[in-house]
């Protein structure tokens, strides 16, 4: 019985440890290999909490800022991007009936909150405060930014004479200090620093950072283990798993001297695990026990342990969850293996430190407690530091010296508590909410004020990705020719697949991150002949020889000679990047995309190609969701995927299509078009009530968002009767590309002043594409802020400054239960919110939530980037792509009734969570009238327009030309007649 009870307890502890590991893994960065960069909410683990609380909690865990600095928001008041009315509304909503309460007798809670938020109470401490008071003249005059009411009160107490003003200010300071000194003493001590890991205590007590020893070993080992082809030799025994591979590598005695003074300790720990046949969980449990980490702190301890090298820990976890995303070959990596290995190395280094501190190495379980006892307690704020906050608050409120002198101890305590709470919890939260409110209001006002114009029967239709970068080129296409109509769909166009191009090493998933494809769709190469095939094989052999031979002893000398010759093209590439690239870039491999079902085993996924019924379902879904199924078909419908291309850019895939899992969308467009042009597919669609006219042809294209080039696919298949339609499409897209490039160039510092025309702009963006040293080939999704789900007529003609995701949806063709809307939002919301929130956090704190500057990045193992040779993987967005971005949660406006939208939200757990916890803002746009209901406060409330819509004569360049920053939403009045195509 006792044995059974012990075994049950052991099983319970093991299960608890497994749950702790899983929970910690959920808090790690969720970025997979950089070759498949997928935008996602970096705080996805916190979505169960209200956004404002979640970012504060995440900031505490990760050591990050939850919002911009308050000073950054206050600059927005001067720029007109936030108004006092915005801030007052936010404060009123936050305080409710508490707003009228008195705070220490110096003002209402509402007024204290407003002036301290709007103008700020500085937090200056230590010697810096003494210098500020006595050397910088803080006591010689009042604040220069006093609100009008406070300025009037100051004028009544000081006639303007500098000496008189200085006397009044000094007396106010002395009264504030005296009030603090006589107040009831509250607990003002700073909270004790978090010392969760043994490393935290050791570094504070001794100055020794054990991570300096641990991380180089872990980085070298893990990077070699997950390597996808960067190293010359693959690590042996990788098939056995990360933990087993580590035991084999570090069990040998000859490894000890290579590791330094703690090498023998590590070898001994590895030997113990191997001898006792411990798996990773067994080793982890043994390490936690040896370190004195009890079950009640397993989760917290493991979290801080994993976050110490969060990039590599997160990558191991992603390879465990989605091995299909690796660029070359998957490896059996597990997060628990990483933790077990890390703690083995930490124990070895700690044993060495313990010996230096005269603590027996076998007693690491008492190391934290003994060293913590030696550390001094934290120091609380001084009376002067506390008085400084009161001194500024009474200035902003216009409270005179006599009133401050009459403050009771309880009143001072109440004021002080309010100021401390405000600074820690409310100030930046309210400022940020005001910033978002202002933008959201302007957006709703623009849509409400816009009157949809009548569009003639389209000659050409173009279906783009919902990507915010496509907002501008869609607008320009429609300005080029009013007979062009654009629509949008998530850029995988319903074709979730693994695709392998002619030159791809292995298949890659082209689908939203939430979808794991089941179908494998390769390229079917055209007949290439013996000579072309031999040339291709020789080219591959040459590349392999240069890659491998340059690192070998015998062939290295030969490669060095070849290297001298290769210096000439290298110089040409550096000096003339665009001309060189255009001269040597290889054309796309010929061939067709294979969408038909083939009955054989695929290299990945479950099936090769699609059945006829599957094709019909895909085409039907896209046509229905975009509203094209209603029967308004042009003679040519262009399905436009998008991609991006640049040189010397490890983050290249991050510029590609988020709905395609960080891949280019051209293959998905080709697959969809191949299906939609099939007579058998059209025949079955007609039986379902969707009739595609015989005279309609679908054409696939890909928009390169870096240089604004347009590639049309399979033009040789276009029937002769559509020759003029193809020419029309080419001409229209060419002109739209010029205009789009010009609009984009206004954001680039060097191009903004030199670009005078669309041709200049195209030349500028194409130089950026081929420039080896260009850190900003494009700004990607920077500035994204809003989303419209509805008919194009509701936004056609609106200038939305490349800030809008545009999602096609026709509410008039949906059923009573909004089935189509449910499907559209289920596909679009994860992509849009993922992009929006990754940019939000990358802009708020790029060092923690982003990758920092891309300039010092080195590619590591072909799965990520790191600074230097032995650093952590840098995940998230790099600083160059968020430098113009303003962090705001996306405002999503859906064309439907508020009742239907509320029901759609209720039926979707994902939508309910995001809306309820304010990770996005949702609103409904009435289908038949310009009326918006905002869901920001929970229940839908009617939006009351506040600003008339500005009208600007077209084209769009009349509004954006010569301007750099964010522009207002305006209506572009159509030109009297089409300017390019007639």
């Amino acid at each position: 019985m006792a044995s059974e009870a012990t075994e049950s307890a052991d099983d319970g502890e093991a299960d608890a440890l497994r749950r702790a590991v899983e929970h910690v893994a959920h808090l790690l960065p969720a970025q997979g290999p950089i070759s498949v960069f997928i935008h996602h909410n970096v705080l996805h683990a916190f979505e169960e909490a209200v956004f404002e609380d979640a970012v504060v909690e995440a900031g505490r865990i990760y050591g990050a800022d939850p919002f911009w600095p308050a000073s950054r928001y206050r600059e927005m008041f001067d720029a007109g991007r936030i108004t006092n009315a915005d801030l007052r509304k936010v404060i009123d909503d936050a305080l409710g009936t508490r707003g009228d309460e008195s705070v220490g007798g110096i003002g209402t809670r509402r007024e204290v909150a407003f002036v301290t938020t709007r103008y700020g109470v500085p937090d200056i401490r230590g010697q810096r405060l003494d210098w500020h008071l006595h050397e910088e003249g803080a006591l010689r005059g009042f604040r220069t930014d006093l609100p009008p009411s406070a300025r009037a009160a100051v004028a009544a107490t000081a006639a303007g004479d500098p000496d008189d003003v200085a006397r009044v200010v000094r007396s106010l300071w002395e009264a504030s200090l005296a009030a603090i000194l006589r107040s009831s003493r509250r607990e003002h001590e700073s909270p004790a620093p978090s010392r969760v890991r043994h490393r935290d205590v050791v570094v504070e007590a001794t100055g020794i950072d054990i991570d300096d020893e641990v991380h180089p070993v872990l980085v070298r080992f893990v990077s070699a283990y997950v390597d996808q082809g960067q190293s010359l030799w693959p690590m042996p025994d990788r098939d056995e798993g990360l933990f087993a591979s580590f035991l084999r590598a570090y069990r040998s005695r000859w490894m000890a001297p290579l590791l330094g003074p703690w090498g023998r300790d590590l070898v001994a720990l590895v030997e113990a695990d191997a001898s006792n046949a411990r798996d990773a969980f067994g080793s982890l449990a043994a390490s936690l026990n040896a370190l004195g980490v009890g079950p009640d702190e397993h989760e917290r301890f493991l979290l801080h342990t994993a976050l110490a090298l969060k990039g590599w820990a997160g990558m191991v976890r992603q390879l465990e969850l989605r091995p299909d995303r690796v660029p070359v070959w998957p490896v059996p990596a597990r997060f628990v293996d990483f933790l077990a290995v890390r703690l083995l190395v930490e124990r070895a280094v700690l044993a060495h430190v313990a010996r230096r501190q005269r603590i027996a190495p076998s007693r690491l379980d008492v190391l934290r407690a003994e060293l913590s006892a030696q550390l001094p307690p934290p120091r609380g704020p001084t009376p002067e530091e506390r008085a400084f906050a009161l001194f500024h608050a009474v200035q902003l409120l216009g409270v005179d010296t006599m009133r401050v002198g009459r403050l009771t101890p309880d009143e001072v305590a109440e004021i002080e508590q309010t100021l401390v709470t405000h600074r820690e919890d409310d100030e930046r939260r309210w400022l940020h909410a005001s910033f978002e409110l202002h933008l959201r209001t302007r957006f709703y006002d623009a849509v409400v004020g816009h009157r949809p114009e009548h569009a003639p029967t389209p000659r050409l239709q173009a279906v783009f990705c919902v990507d915010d970068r496509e907002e501008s080129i869609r607008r320009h296409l429609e300005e080029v020719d009013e007979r062009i109509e654009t629509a949008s769909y998530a850029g995988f166009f319903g074709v979730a697949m693994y695709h392998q191009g002619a030159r791809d090493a292995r298949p890659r998933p082209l689908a939203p991150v939430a979808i794991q494809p089941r179908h494998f769709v390769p390229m079917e190469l055209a007949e290439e002949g013996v000579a072309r095939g031999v040339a291709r094989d020789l080219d591959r052999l040459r590349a392999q020889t240069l890659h491998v031979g340059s690192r070998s002893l015998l062939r290295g000398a030969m490669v060095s000679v070849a290297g001298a010759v290769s210096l000439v093209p290298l110089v040409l590439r550096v000096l003339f990047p665009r001309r060189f690239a255009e001269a040597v870039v290889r054309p796309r491999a010929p061939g067709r995309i294979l969408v038909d079902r083939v009955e054989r085993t695929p290299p990945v996924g479950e099936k090769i190609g699609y059945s006829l019924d599957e094709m019909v379902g895909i085409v039907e879904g896209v046509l229905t969701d975009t509203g094209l199924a209603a029967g308004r078909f042009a003679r040519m419908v262009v399905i436009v995927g998008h991609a991006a291309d640049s040189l010397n850019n490890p983050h290249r895939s991050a510029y590609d299509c988020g709905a395609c899992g960080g891949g280019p969308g051209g293959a998905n467009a080709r697959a969809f078009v191949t299906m939609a042009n099939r007579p058998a597919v059209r025949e079955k669609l007609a039986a379902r009530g969707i009739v595609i006219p015989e005279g309609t042809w679908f054409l696939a294209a890909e928009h390169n968002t870096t240089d604004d080039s347009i590639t049309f696919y399979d033009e040789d298949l276009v029937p002769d009767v559509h020759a003029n339609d193809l020419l029309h499409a080419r001409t229209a897209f060419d002109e739209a590309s010029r205009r789009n490039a010009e609009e984009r160039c206004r954001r680039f510092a060097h191009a903004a002043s030199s670009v005078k025309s669309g041709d200049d702009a195209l030349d500028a963006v194409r130089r950026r594409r081929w420039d080896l040293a260009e850190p900003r080939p494009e700004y990607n999704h920077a500035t994204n802020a809003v989303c419209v789900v509805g008919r194009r007529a509701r936004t056609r003609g609106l200038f939305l400054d490349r800030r809008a995701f545009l999602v096609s949806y026709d509410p008039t063709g949906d059923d009573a239960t909004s089935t189509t809307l449910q499907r559209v939002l289920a596909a679009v919301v994860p992509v849009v919110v993922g992009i929006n929130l990754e940019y939000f956090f990358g802009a708020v704190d790029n060092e923690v939530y982003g990758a920092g500057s891309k300039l010092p990045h080195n590619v590591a193992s072909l799965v990520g980037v790191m600074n230097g040779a032995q650093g952590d993987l840098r995940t998230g967005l790099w600083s160059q792509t968020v430098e113009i971005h303003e962090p705001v949660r996306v405002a999503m406006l859906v064309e439907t009734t508020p009742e239907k939208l509320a029901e759609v939200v209720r039926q979707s757990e994902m939508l309910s969570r995001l809306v309820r916890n304010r990770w996005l803002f949702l609103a409904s746009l009435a289908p038949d009238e310009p009326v918006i209901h905002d869901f920001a406060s929970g229940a839908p409330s009617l939006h009351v327009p506040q600003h008339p819509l500005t009208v600007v004569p077209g084209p769009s360049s009349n509004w954006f030309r010569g301007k750099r920053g964010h522009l207002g939403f305006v209506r572009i009045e159509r030109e009297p007649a089409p300017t390019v195509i007639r």
Side-chain angles (χ1 to χ4, degrees):
M1 294 289 291
S3 176
E4 292 180 4
T6 302
E7 184 177 343
S8 177
D10 290 343
D11 290 344
E13 291 178 2
D15 289 342
L17 180 57
R18 292 177 187 276
R19 288 194 298 270
V21 170
E22 281 299 311
H23 185 265
V24 170
H26 190 52
L27 296 171
L28 292 173
Q31 179 179 306
I34 200 168
S35 58
V36 195
F37 192 106
I38 299 172
H39 295 288
H40 65 287
N41 176 14
V42 297
L43 297 187
H44 63 281
F46 296 83
E47 287 181 359
E48 293 296 339
V50 174
F51 178 86
E52 292 82 359
D53 297 330
V55 295
V56 172
E57 175 64 12
R60 184 188 63 80
I61 292 174
Y62 300 121
D65 277 323
F67 304 106
W68 264 348
S71 59
R72 188 88 178 265
Y73 293 109
R74 292 190 181 107
E75 292 172 359
M76 297 296 176
F77 283 94
D78 298 332
R81 306 289 304 284
I82 308 177
T83 66
N84 289 344
D86 296 325
L87 179 57
R88 288 190 182 278
K89 183 180 188 314
V90 167
I91 291 174
D92 285 345
D93 291 343
L95 295 179
T97 57
R98 296 175 60 239
D100 294 327
E101 296 174 359
S102 174
V103 178
I106 63 172
T108 64
R109 193 172 299 280
R110 180 182 295 106
E111 195 58 28
V112 171
F114 174 77
V115 297
T116 53
T117 304
R118 172 65 179 85
Y119 300 99
V121 174
D123 185 15
I124 305 177
R125 305 192 178 195
Q127 294 181 344
R128 177 73 181 86
L129 176 59
D130 187 65
W131 178 270
H132 178 70
L133 291 173
H134 304 294
E135 301 296 334
E136 293 183 343
L139 300 182
R140 290 198 293 267
F142 287 98
R143 292 178 52 144
T144 59
D145 61 345
L146 291 179
S149 58
R151 193 174 297 115
V154 167
T157 59
D161 178 72
D163 291 336
D164 192 33
V165 170
R167 178 186 58 77
V168 173
V169 171
R170 180 168 290 278
S171 66
L172 187 61
W173 162 251
E174 291 171 351
S176 300
L177 181 57
I180 291 293
L181 290 173
R182 69 173 177 267
S183 68
S184 54
R185 180 65 180 175
R186 295 168 51 250
E187 291 299 323
H188 285 284
E189 286 70 23
S190 301
S194 177
R195 300 171 184 142
V196 179
R197 298 172 56 214
H198 296 67
R199 173 262 177 194
D200 303 333
V201 181
V202 170
V203 73
E204 194 171 348
T206 69
I208 300 171
D209 191 344
I210 67 168
D211 285 349
D212 292 342
E213 299 285 339
V214 174
H215 286 177
V217 174
L218 285 176
V219 170
R220 286 195 299 267
F221 173 76
V222 178
S223 61
Y225 180 82
V226 304
D227 179 66
Q228 295 294 301
Q230 195 170 27
S231 62
L232 180 58
W233 299 290
M235 174 178 283
D237 305 318
R238 290 207 298 180
D239 293 340
E240 298 184 19
L242 187 148
F243 180 71
S245 181
F246 181 83
L247 294 188
R248 282 181 175 268
Y250 288 87
R251 191 176 183 182
S252 303
R253 297 288 179 183
W254 63 267
M255 287 293 295
L258 301 178
L259 296 172
W262 48 270
R264 291 184 180 180
D265 298 283
L266 179 59
V267 171
L269 292 173
V270 169
E271 177 63 34
D273 274 2
S275 300
N276 290 289
R278 294 188 183 117
D279 62 4
F281 273 104
S283 175
L284 183 60
S287 290
L288 292 171
N289 184 60
L291 292 169
V293 180
D296 59 326
E297 59 174 333
H298 278 177
E299 190 172 296
R300 186 163 177 250
F301 179 85
L302 291 177
L303 174 60
H304 285 259
T305 297
L307 293 181
L309 211 57
K310 64 178 181 179
W312 284 109
M315 182 58 63
V316 169
R317 175 61 171 176
Q318 289 306 304
L319 297 182
E320 177 182 3
L321 295 176
R322 291 295 300 268
D324 59 313
R325 289 184 184 153
V326 297
V328 183
W329 53 73
V331 292
R334 295 191 308 163
F335 174 55
V336 67
D337 293 352
F338 177 88
L339 288 175
V341 168
R342 177 174 186 112
L343 287 190
L344 284 176
V345 181
E346 283 197 17
R347 285 170 61 191
V349 178
L350 281 169
H352 172 65
V353 173
R355 279 192 294 270
R356 293 180 58 178
Q357 299 300 314
R358 292 182 172 80
I359 301 174
S362 60
R363 295 302 311 279
L364 293 182
D365 57 326
V366 300
L367 183 64
R368 280 187 304 176
E370 292 196 6
L371 291 182
S372 295
Q374 303 173 16
L375 300 176
R379 180 188 72 86
T382 65
E384 288 78 9
E385 292 167 350
R386 295 164 56 197
F388 188 65
L390 177 61
F391 173 60
H392 274 270
V394 294
Q395 284 189 67
L396 292 171
L397 290 162
V399 180
D400 59 30
T401 302
M402 293 182 62
R403 179 67 187 92
V404 175
R406 292 196 303 268
L407 290 174
T408 67
D410 288 343
E411 288 176 328
V412 174
E414 183 181 12
I415 296 169
E416 196 173 6
Q417 181 60 50
T418 299
L419 296 178
V420 170
T421 302
H422 173 72
R423 177 183 290 149
E424 294 177 352
D425 299 336
D426 300 330
E427 182 179 53
R428 287 194 289 174
R429 182 182 302 208
W430 291 343
L431 285 169
H432 181 79
S434 303
F435 182 49
E436 289 183 317
L437 174 63
H438 186 88
L439 176 63
R440 201 161 65 247
T441 300
R442 292 285 184 169
F443 168 52
Y444 293 160
D445 286 353
V447 177
V448 167
H450 181 59
R451 295 296 181 266
E453 58 188 29
H454 172 72
T457 302
R459 177 181 177 183
L460 174 70
Q461 290 168 318
V463 181
F464 288 83
C465 180
V466 302
D467 193 294
D468 51 301
R469 290 171 291 179
E470 306 290 45
E471 181 271 327
S472 54
I473 196 169
R474 290 179 61 181
R475 172 168 28 89
H476 292 302
L477 264 176
E478 292 165 345
E479 289 178 10
V480 163
D481 186 350
E482 65 176 0
R483 296 168 298 174
I484 296 177
E485 180 179 85
T486 68
S488 61
Y489 192 86
F492 75 114
F493 301 112
V495 187
M497 64 181 180
Y498 288 104
H499 176 67
Q500 185 168 16
R503 295 191 176 95
D504 293 338
R506 70 189 301 269
R508 66 174 296 160
L510 295 178
V513 62
I515 300 176
Q516 188 158 357
R518 298 171 50 239
H519 299 80
F520 170 63
V521 178
M523 286 294 296
E524 185 179 41
L525 294 180
E527 294 295 329
E528 59 179 7
V530 176
R532 186 183 295 272
V534 170
R536 187 190 70 245
D537 293 339
L538 288 176
D539 183 57
R540 291 175 176 172
L541 179 62
R542 175 195 60 80
Q544 175 71 6
T545 301
L546 288 175
H547 178 68
V548 177
S550 62
R551 289 181 268 173
S552 65
L553 180 63
L554 297 178
R555 285 179 287 176
M558 297 176 60
V559 173
S560 297
V561 175
V565 177
S566 67
L567 182 64
V568 175
L570 175 62
V571 172
L572 292 175
R573 169 169 282 183
V574 172
L575 296 180
F576 310 102
R578 179 184 169 189
R579 291 185 180 180
F580 179 84
E582 291 177 344
V584 304
V585 66
R586 289 179 295 181
R588 295 176 181 270
R592 308 290 185 207
I593 195 161
L594 179 63
V595 299
D596 293 292
R597 173 65 50 78
V598 176
E599 297 300 336
R600 64 171 185 266
T601 304
V604 64
E606 301 173 11
K607 306 171 184 177
I608 298 179
Y610 295 84
S611 68
L612 178 60
D613 287 339
E614 288 173 332
M615 294 184 198
V616 172
I618 289 171
V619 176
E620 179 184 25
V622 173
L623 297 183
T624 300
D625 293 354
T626 56
L628 294 179
R632 184 183 167 96
F633 286 98
R635 284 182 52 81
M636 178 164 281
V637 181
V638 187
I639 307 298
V640 190
H642 66 96
D645 204 1
S646 55
L647 291 181
N648 193 30
N649 187 2
H651 298 280
R652 174 180 164 181
S653 71
Y655 296 91
D656 279 334
C657 180
C660 297
N668 300 77
R670 293 182 77 178
F672 176 85
V673 163
T674 303
M675 298 175 188
N677 284 330
R678 289 280 173 86
V681 171
R682 294 190 178 192
E683 182 179 344
K684 285 208 166 190
L685 285 174
R688 299 184 183 187
I690 300 176
V691 179
I692 301 176
E694 186 176 345
T696 293
W697 185 259
F698 286 81
L699 178 68
E702 188 174 78
H703 173 212
N704 190 310
T705 57
T706 303
D707 68 357
D708 277 309
S709 60
I710 302 290
T711 300
F712 292 96
Y713 291 101
D714 302 323
E715 294 176 90
D716 57 313
L717 298 181
V718 177
D720 292 340
V721 295
H722 288 285
N724 288 335
D725 299 316
L726 178 59
L727 177 61
H728 173 255
R730 281 188 162 280
T731 307
F733 271 92
D734 284 347
E735 177 59 23
S737 294
R738 292 187 184 90
R739 298 185 182 193
N740 198 57
E742 184 179 1
E743 182 171 344
R744 290 177 53 222
C745 279
R746 76 183 189 85
R747 290 291 196 172
F748 300 130
H750 297 296
S753 58
S754 61
V755 167
K756 306 299 181 185
S757 66
D759 289 331
D760 289 346
L762 278 179
D763 186 67
V765 296
R766 288 171 184 174
R767 283 200 308 271
R768 301 180 81 87
R769 171 185 177 180
W770 297 117
D771 192 341
L772 281 166
E774 179 53 69
R776 302 170 186 83
E778 63 166 288
Y779 272 122
N780 210 347
H781 301 285
T783 76
N784 79 83
V786 301
C787 176
V788 180
V789 181
R791 289 170 290 182
R792 177 55 173 162
R794 304 304 296 264
T795 56
R796 181 172 174 136
L798 274 182
F799 179 92
L800 297 175
D801 199 23
R802 292 172 53 86
R803 309 195 72 178
F805 299 93
L806 299 178
V807 183
S808 290
Y809 164 69
D810 186 354
T812 64
D814 207 350
D815 59 26
T817 59
S818 303
T819 303
T820 301
L821 180 59
Q822 292 181 47
R823 186 170 59 245
V824 168
L825 293 182
V828 166
V829 168
V831 175
V832 169
V833 172
I835 292 171
N836 171 258
L837 291 175
E838 182 155 41
Y839 272 80
F840 184 107
F841 296 117
V844 164
D845 194 329
N846 193 247
E847 283 303 313
V848 177
Y849 294 131
S853 173
K854 66 162 59 171
L855 300 183
H857 286 173
N858 290 322
V859 176
S861 308
L862 300 183
V863 297
V865 295
M866 61 184 178
N867 293 347
Q870 294 185 147
D872 195 9
L873 287 185
R874 301 304 306 266
T875 60
L877 300 170
W878 51 106
S879 61
Q880 285 82 2
T881 202
V882 296
E883 60 192 7
I884 66 169
H885 185 70
E886 295 177 341
V888 292
R889 285 165 284 180
V890 67
M892 183 171 290
L893 184 59
V894 183
E895 187 181 6
T896 187
T897 65
E899 295 79 16
K900 287 185 176 181
L901 184 56
E903 180 61 20
V904 169
V905 171
R906 189 188 66 80
Q907 294 187 15
S908 168
E909 190 278 329
M910 172 199 65
L911 266 176
S912 295
R913 180 180 69 251
L914 295 175
V915 174
R916 179 180 65 250
N917 294 329
R918 296 197 292 272
W919 291 83
L920 82 159
F921 294 107
L922 192 66
S924 65
L925 171 64
D928 301 320
E929 54 185 338
V931 174
I932 288 176
H933 285 84
D934 190 356
F935 285 66
S937 58
S941 60
L942 180 67
H943 169 74
V944 179
Q946 300 177 26
H947 310 94
L949 179 63
T950 301
V951 178
V952 176
S956 294
S957 57
N958 288 340
W959 178 238
F960 67 72
R961 187 170 290 155
K963 301 171 184 175
R964 286 293 310 280
H966 296 285
L967 298 180
F969 303 142
V970 300
R971 173 184 171 87
I972 304 297
E973 193 71 41
R974 180 174 296 281
E975 298 167 272
T979 58
V980 176
I981 301 176
R982 300 182 183 276

